[in-house]
């Protein structure tokens, strides 16, 4: 069994499973065959540009983190002496009276190391991964039962739960902060380490932990008790069990996964009912990834309907211009967007990372340009701007308030949940650039990247420098298959692009999924040129005619608003809120009595910069949002007058 075939199994609904988990039973393939496959990490590489810069920052931070500090509490709970002091922030401090989120980083550390190693080939990452797995295995053997968590008195906590002593809210179980969430993250990290790097020890640890929780907790609770337990945030633990089933073929894991579906979410959403108002947003999103994966392995269409309805509702009714959703972590009615915007809160980075995962899962079965449009929107305008350019640290909230700012986690003092997902995201930036339908390559994102599909002898290099230029050039070597189709997304912001193949203008067919289908008798080497007509446009604040955002091509623009009343440091500890509000200044207001774009003028081509041609706006620079850090910015512009607060 080759490692290459193992790599075709990508966790988190990444692609169809194609290998055998040696020594653990036979793997199973999805019951529902996906329409689209994702390339294994390392097949696609980023070329110079902002995404590659972010990938490099993520790699540096993974290597900065010390596994012995991350494992401090795991060793403690295993009865072993820790090898290093724990990190601060959520890892070890009492947060909101719920205690620390002990060991919260371990799972994402594993997945980040594994994916980044396959993406970059840096052997130091694999060395760290193997060391961490070995230490976890030491803890497993010391405990003797498969439990390898850092949760304070975790075994005693779950003995009480198994005995029916269950007091839950969100985010605690019997006073402990999100213990099922922590189990899920550890299981997912172990599975990705196994799938991506072929580490057998990771599979042993995964099945040991899954068996422990299944036998000691799930099997001891009836369905009503289990649903009460699921009131607390639990990540995508249903998904983790389905994936363990996929890797082993052991149907116990599929049944445990079924029992871990939250009825309060999947039943109403399977009927297309929007019951999300007031719910904690990121508690819900990962569940639906699990619902979709369960559908893939059972064919139960109720769960597919639930996942798709949720995606439509969140992207259509609960999302901001940058693609992120909710405010202050909760879903709210469309009529409250103005109020929530001015509050200084905004979408949580975790939410967008998980919405990208959900989009990947749904896209695999029903690939549409509209889904890829959303993925592009959130990647370029929420994820990319969420990392600071100096240290590569991730922010928690991205405020939508005009003339506000954002703060970022610190390297050793925050360890927020967004920093957790922030470990993995830079390692999978190549994930969605190119996919394939059978032997046909698909171009989903217009970013500088290269696909080396060695099994087909195919190479596809994409040159792009948006937003400065609307021209995308694809250099395509089809290999042995000269009759393949090249499927290129026709984006909503550039449907009237001009396309040339080897110098000849063509008008490709547009498939039902919204992709151009470029077919020709390919030469050995081919050049496809796409000229997108990039234009300024506005997008209103949902539910309001008093505010508008500015966009150019796929990028959201923001105005630089200066440095008034900013904090002494932009890197925070436990606190994840940017507190220093100022009144919305007049320079954040687009002039009254004119169409919003009337006074927007271009000031510079490279870097792309706009301004406002009106008295009093001379110092306002309008640029792609991802470039603005360590100062105030405006995303939603009041139209005519500043708001009264």
């Amino acid at each position: 069994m080759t490692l290459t075939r193992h790599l075709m199994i990508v966790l988190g609904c990444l692609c169809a499973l194609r290998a055998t988990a040696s020594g653990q039973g036979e793997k199973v393939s999805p019951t529902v065959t996906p329409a689209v496959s994702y390339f294994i990490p390392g097949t696609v590489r980023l070329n110079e540009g902002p995404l590659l810069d972010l990938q490099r920052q993520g790699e540096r931070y993974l290597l900065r983190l010390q596994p012995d500090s991350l494992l401090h509490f795991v060793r403690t709970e295993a009865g072993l002496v820790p090898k290093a002091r724990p990190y601060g922030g959520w890892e070890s401090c009492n947060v909101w009276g719920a205690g620390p989120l002990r060991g919260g980083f371990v799972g994402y550390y594993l997945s980040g190391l594994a994916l980044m190693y396959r993406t970059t080939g840096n052997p130091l990452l694999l060395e760290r991964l193997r060391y961490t797995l070995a230490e976890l295995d030491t803890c497993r053997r010391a405990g003797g039962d498969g439990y390898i968590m850092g949760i304070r008195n975790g075994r005693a906590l779950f003995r009480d739960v198994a005995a029916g002593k269950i007091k839950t809210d969100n985010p605690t179980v019997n006073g402990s902060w999100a213990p099922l969430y922590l189990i899920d993250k550890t299981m997912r990290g172990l599975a990705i380490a196994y799938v991506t790097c072929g580490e057998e020890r990771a599979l042993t640890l995964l099945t040991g932990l899954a068996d422990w929780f299944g036998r000691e907790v799930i099997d001891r609770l009836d369905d009503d008790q289990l649903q009460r337990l699921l009131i607390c945030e639990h990540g995508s633990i249903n998904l983790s069990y389905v994936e363990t089933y996929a890797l082993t073929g052991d149907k116990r894991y599929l049944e445990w996964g079924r029992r871990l579906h939250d009825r309060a979410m999947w039943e109403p959403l399977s009927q297309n009912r929007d019951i999300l108002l007031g719910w904690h947003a990121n508690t819900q999103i990962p569940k639906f990834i699990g619902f979709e994966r369960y559908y893939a392995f059972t064919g139960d269409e109720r769960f597919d309907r639930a996942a798709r309805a949720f995606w439509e509702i969140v992207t259509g009714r609960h999302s901001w211009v940058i693609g992120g959703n909710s405010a202050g972590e909760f879903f709210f009615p469309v009529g409250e967007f103005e109020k929530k915007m001015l509050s200084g809160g905004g979408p949580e980075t975790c939410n967008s990372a998980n919405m990208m995962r959900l989009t990947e899962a749904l896209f695999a079965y029903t690939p549409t340009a509209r889904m890829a449009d959303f993925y592009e929107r959130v990647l370029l305008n929420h994820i990319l701007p969420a990392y600071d350019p100096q240290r590569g640290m991730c922010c928690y909230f991205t405020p939508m308030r005009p003339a506000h700012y954002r703060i970022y986690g610190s390297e050793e003092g925050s360890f927020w949940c967004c920093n957790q997902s922030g470990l993995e995201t830079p390692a999978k930036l190549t994930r969605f650039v190119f996919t394939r339908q059978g032997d046909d390559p698909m171009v989903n994102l217009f970013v500088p990247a290269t696909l080396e599909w060695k099994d087909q002898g195919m190479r596809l290099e994409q040159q792009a420098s948006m937003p400065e230029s609307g021209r995308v050039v694809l250099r395509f070597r089809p290999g042995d298959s000269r009759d393949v189709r090249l499927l290129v997304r026709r984006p909503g912001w550039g449907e009237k692009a001009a396309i040339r193949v080897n110098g000849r203008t063509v008008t490709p067919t547009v498939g039902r999924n919204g992709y151009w289908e470029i077919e020709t008798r390919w030469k050995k080497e081919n050049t496809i040129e796409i000229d997108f007509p990039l234009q300024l446009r506005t997008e209103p604040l949902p539910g309001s005619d008093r505010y508008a955002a500015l966009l150019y091509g796929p990028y959201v623009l923001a105005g630089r608003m200066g440095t008034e009343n900013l904090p002494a440091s932009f890197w925070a500890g436990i606190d994840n809120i940017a507190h220093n509000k100022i009144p919305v200044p007049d320079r954040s207001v687009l002039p009254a009595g004119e169409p919003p774009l009337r006074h927007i003028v271009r000031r510079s081509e490279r870097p792309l910069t706009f301004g406002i041609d009106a008295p009093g706006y001379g110092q306002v620079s309008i640029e792609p949002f991802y470039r603005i850090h360590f100062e105030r910015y405006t995303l939603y512009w009041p139209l005519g007058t500043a708001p009264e607060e």
Side-chain angles (χ1 to χ4, degrees), residues 481-500:
S481 301
R482 298 291 180 88
D483 58 350
V484 298
R485 297 178 304 166
L486 182 62
L487 307 177
V488 180
R489 174 173 62 102
R490 185 179 70 162
W493 48 263
E495 294 180 343
K496 296 182 180 180
I499 302 175
R500 290 178 298 280

mmCIF file of all heavy atoms in Angstrom, residues 481-500:
data_model
loop_
_atom_site.group_PDB
_atom_site.id
_atom_site.type_symbol
_atom_site.label_atom_id
_atom_site.label_comp_id
_atom_site.label_asym_id
_atom_site.label_seq_id
_atom_site.Cartn_x
_atom_site.Cartn_y
_atom_site.Cartn_z
ATOM 1 N N SER A 481 -3.046 12.912 -22.243
ATOM 2 C CA SER A 481 -4.469 13.098 -22.552
ATOM 3 C C SER A 481 -4.667 14.408 -23.304
ATOM 4 O O SER A 481 -4.843 15.464 -22.695
ATOM 5 C CB SER A 481 -5.295 13.091 -21.260
ATOM 6 O OG SER A 481 -5.123 11.880 -20.574
ATOM 7 N N ARG A 482 -4.649 14.351 -24.622
ATOM 8 C CA ARG A 482 -4.770 15.570 -25.423
ATOM 9 C C ARG A 482 -6.220 16.000 -25.642
ATOM 10 O O ARG A 482 -6.473 17.052 -26.223
ATOM 11 C CB ARG A 482 -4.100 15.361 -26.793
ATOM 12 C CG ARG A 482 -2.609 15.067 -26.731
ATOM 13 C CD ARG A 482 -1.819 16.273 -26.272
ATOM 14 N NE ARG A 482 -0.396 16.001 -26.217
ATOM 15 C CZ ARG A 482 0.437 16.156 -27.241
ATOM 16 N NH1 ARG A 482 -0.024 16.565 -28.409
ATOM 17 N NH2 ARG A 482 1.725 15.889 -27.094
ATOM 18 N N ASP A 483 -7.182 15.192 -25.175
ATOM 19 C CA ASP A 483 -8.587 15.538 -25.417
ATOM 20 C C ASP A 483 -9.318 15.905 -24.135
ATOM 21 O O ASP A 483 -10.550 15.884 -24.085
ATOM 22 C CB ASP A 483 -9.312 14.380 -26.111
ATOM 23 C CG ASP A 483 -9.246 13.088 -25.306
ATOM 24 O OD1 ASP A 483 -8.492 13.040 -24.313
ATOM 25 O OD2 ASP A 483 -9.950 12.126 -25.678
ATOM 26 N N VAL A 484 -8.580 16.250 -23.083
ATOM 27 C CA VAL A 484 -9.229 16.643 -21.831
ATOM 28 C C VAL A 484 -9.879 18.017 -21.982
ATOM 29 O O VAL A 484 -9.500 18.820 -22.837
ATOM 30 C CB VAL A 484 -8.228 16.669 -20.659
ATOM 31 C CG1 VAL A 484 -7.640 15.301 -20.423
ATOM 32 C CG2 VAL A 484 -7.150 17.708 -20.885
ATOM 33 N N ARG A 485 -10.856 18.268 -21.124
ATOM 34 C CA ARG A 485 -11.442 19.599 -21.022
ATOM 35 C C ARG A 485 -10.740 20.345 -19.897
ATOM 36 O O ARG A 485 -10.400 19.768 -18.871
ATOM 37 C CB ARG A 485 -12.932 19.525 -20.705
ATOM 38 C CG ARG A 485 -13.802 18.868 -21.749
ATOM 39 C CD ARG A 485 -15.247 18.837 -21.263
ATOM 40 N NE ARG A 485 -15.362 18.169 -19.964
ATOM 41 C CZ ARG A 485 -16.435 18.222 -19.181
ATOM 42 N NH1 ARG A 485 -17.494 18.933 -19.555
ATOM 43 N NH2 ARG A 485 -16.474 17.584 -18.030
ATOM 44 N N LEU A 486 -10.547 21.621 -20.099
ATOM 45 C CA LEU A 486 -10.062 22.493 -19.035
ATOM 46 C C LEU A 486 -11.263 23.269 -18.526
ATOM 47 O O LEU A 486 -11.869 24.044 -19.268
ATOM 48 C CB LEU A 486 -8.980 23.434 -19.562
ATOM 49 C CG LEU A 486 -8.336 24.372 -18.539
ATOM 50 C CD1 LEU A 486 -7.632 23.583 -17.448
ATOM 51 C CD2 LEU A 486 -7.350 25.313 -19.230
ATOM 52 N N LEU A 487 -11.627 23.038 -17.280
ATOM 53 C CA LEU A 487 -12.804 23.669 -16.685
ATOM 54 C C LEU A 487 -12.361 24.858 -15.858
ATOM 55 O O LEU A 487 -11.599 24.713 -14.904
ATOM 56 C CB LEU A 487 -13.547 22.657 -15.813
ATOM 57 C CG LEU A 487 -13.917 21.331 -16.497
ATOM 58 C CD1 LEU A 487 -14.582 20.384 -15.516
ATOM 59 C CD2 LEU A 487 -14.817 21.579 -17.690
ATOM 60 N N VAL A 488 -12.827 26.039 -16.223
ATOM 61 C CA VAL A 488 -12.401 27.286 -15.584
ATOM 62 C C VAL A 488 -13.636 27.996 -15.037
ATOM 63 O O VAL A 488 -14.609 28.232 -15.774
ATOM 64 C CB VAL A 488 -11.662 28.202 -16.574
ATOM 65 C CG1 VAL A 488 -11.235 29.495 -15.890
ATOM 66 C CG2 VAL A 488 -10.445 27.482 -17.166
ATOM 67 N N ARG A 489 -13.585 28.353 -13.771
ATOM 68 C CA ARG A 489 -14.730 29.044 -13.154
ATOM 69 C C ARG A 489 -15.014 30.370 -13.853
ATOM 70 O O ARG A 489 -14.108 31.178 -14.080
ATOM 71 C CB ARG A 489 -14.448 29.309 -11.671
ATOM 72 C CG ARG A 489 -15.528 30.151 -10.986
ATOM 73 C CD ARG A 489 -15.295 30.247 -9.493
ATOM 74 N NE ARG A 489 -14.048 30.888 -9.157
ATOM 75 C CZ ARG A 489 -13.919 32.142 -8.740
ATOM 76 N NH1 ARG A 489 -14.979 32.910 -8.629
ATOM 77 N NH2 ARG A 489 -12.745 32.625 -8.442
ATOM 78 N N ARG A 490 -16.271 30.581 -14.190
ATOM 79 C CA ARG A 490 -16.717 31.883 -14.670
ATOM 80 C C ARG A 490 -17.229 32.651 -13.457
ATOM 81 O O ARG A 490 -18.334 32.416 -12.976
ATOM 82 C CB ARG A 490 -17.827 31.741 -15.708
ATOM 83 C CG ARG A 490 -18.223 33.083 -16.324
ATOM 84 C CD ARG A 490 -19.303 32.934 -17.368
ATOM 85 N NE ARG A 490 -20.588 32.565 -16.772
ATOM 86 C CZ ARG A 490 -21.762 32.712 -17.396
ATOM 87 N NH1 ARG A 490 -21.809 33.202 -18.614
ATOM 88 N NH2 ARG A 490 -22.875 32.334 -16.794
ATOM 89 N N PRO A 491 -16.423 33.565 -12.904
ATOM 90 C CA PRO A 491 -16.791 34.210 -11.644
ATOM 91 C C PRO A 491 -17.919 35.211 -11.823
ATOM 92 O O PRO A 491 -18.089 35.816 -12.889
ATOM 93 C CB PRO A 491 -15.498 34.910 -11.221
ATOM 94 C CG PRO A 491 -14.791 35.199 -12.507
ATOM 95 C CD PRO A 491 -15.120 34.045 -13.417
ATOM 96 N N GLY A 492 -18.679 35.420 -10.768
ATOM 97 C CA GLY A 492 -19.761 36.385 -10.815
ATOM 98 C C GLY A 492 -19.296 37.792 -11.078
ATOM 99 O O GLY A 492 -20.038 38.609 -11.629
ATOM 100 N N TRP A 493 -18.040 38.114 -10.713
ATOM 101 C CA TRP A 493 -17.515 39.465 -10.919
ATOM 102 C C TRP A 493 -16.827 39.617 -12.273
ATOM 103 O O TRP A 493 -16.343 40.704 -12.597
ATOM 104 C CB TRP A 493 -16.515 39.817 -9.812
ATOM 105 C CG TRP A 493 -15.490 38.747 -9.552
ATOM 106 C CD1 TRP A 493 -15.533 37.791 -8.592
ATOM 107 C CD2 TRP A 493 -14.282 38.525 -10.291
ATOM 108 N NE1 TRP A 493 -14.419 36.978 -8.673
ATOM 109 C CE2 TRP A 493 -13.638 37.415 -9.700
ATOM 110 C CE3 TRP A 493 -13.670 39.155 -11.383
ATOM 111 C CZ2 TRP A 493 -12.429 36.903 -10.172
ATOM 112 C CZ3 TRP A 493 -12.465 38.653 -11.851
ATOM 113 C CH2 TRP A 493 -11.862 37.537 -11.246
ATOM 114 N N GLY A 494 -16.769 38.547 -13.091
ATOM 115 C CA GLY A 494 -16.045 38.632 -14.362
ATOM 116 C C GLY A 494 -16.613 37.726 -15.435
ATOM 117 O O GLY A 494 -15.877 37.062 -16.164
ATOM 118 N N GLU A 495 -17.929 37.716 -15.568
ATOM 119 C CA GLU A 495 -18.567 36.785 -16.492
ATOM 120 C C GLU A 495 -18.275 37.090 -17.960
ATOM 121 O O GLU A 495 -18.374 36.203 -18.811
ATOM 122 C CB GLU A 495 -20.076 36.779 -16.258
ATOM 123 C CG GLU A 495 -20.473 36.230 -14.888
ATOM 124 C CD GLU A 495 -21.967 36.231 -14.674
ATOM 125 O OE1 GLU A 495 -22.667 36.942 -15.442
ATOM 126 O OE2 GLU A 495 -22.433 35.543 -13.756
ATOM 127 N N LYS A 496 -17.911 38.343 -18.278
ATOM 128 C CA LYS A 496 -17.710 38.727 -19.681
ATOM 129 C C LYS A 496 -16.241 38.768 -20.072
ATOM 130 O O LYS A 496 -15.814 39.572 -20.901
ATOM 131 C CB LYS A 496 -18.363 40.082 -19.948
ATOM 132 C CG LYS A 496 -19.878 40.066 -19.777
ATOM 133 C CD LYS A 496 -20.499 41.414 -20.100
ATOM 134 C CE LYS A 496 -22.012 41.360 -19.930
ATOM 135 N NZ LYS A 496 -22.655 42.676 -20.246
ATOM 136 N N ALA A 497 -15.453 37.894 -19.503
ATOM 137 C CA ALA A 497 -14.022 37.857 -19.801
ATOM 138 C C ALA A 497 -13.779 37.437 -21.252
ATOM 139 O O ALA A 497 -14.570 36.713 -21.860
ATOM 140 C CB ALA A 497 -13.322 36.888 -18.859
ATOM 141 N N ALA A 498 -12.664 37.925 -21.790
ATOM 142 C CA ALA A 498 -12.206 37.520 -23.120
ATOM 143 C C ALA A 498 -11.197 36.390 -22.955
ATOM 144 O O ALA A 498 -10.268 36.492 -22.144
ATOM 145 C CB ALA A 498 -11.573 38.698 -23.847
ATOM 146 N N ILE A 499 -11.356 35.316 -23.743
ATOM 147 C CA ILE A 499 -10.519 34.128 -23.589
ATOM 148 C C ILE A 499 -9.846 33.809 -24.918
ATOM 149 O O ILE A 499 -10.490 33.783 -25.978
ATOM 150 C CB ILE A 499 -11.352 32.922 -23.118
ATOM 151 C CG1 ILE A 499 -12.048 33.255 -21.794
ATOM 152 C CG2 ILE A 499 -10.491 31.676 -22.972
ATOM 153 C CD1 ILE A 499 -12.985 32.170 -21.306
ATOM 154 N N ARG A 500 -8.540 33.557 -24.861
ATOM 155 C CA ARG A 500 -7.781 33.144 -26.035
ATOM 156 C C ARG A 500 -7.022 31.861 -25.725
ATOM 157 O O ARG A 500 -6.432 31.734 -24.645
ATOM 158 C CB ARG A 500 -6.787 34.232 -26.462
ATOM 159 C CG ARG A 500 -7.442 35.475 -27.048
ATOM 160 C CD ARG A 500 -6.424 36.537 -27.418
ATOM 161 N NE ARG A 500 -5.677 37.009 -26.228
ATOM 162 C CZ ARG A 500 -6.153 37.897 -25.362
ATOM 163 N NH1 ARG A 500 -7.367 38.401 -25.524
ATOM 164 N NH2 ARG A 500 -5.435 38.270 -24.325
#
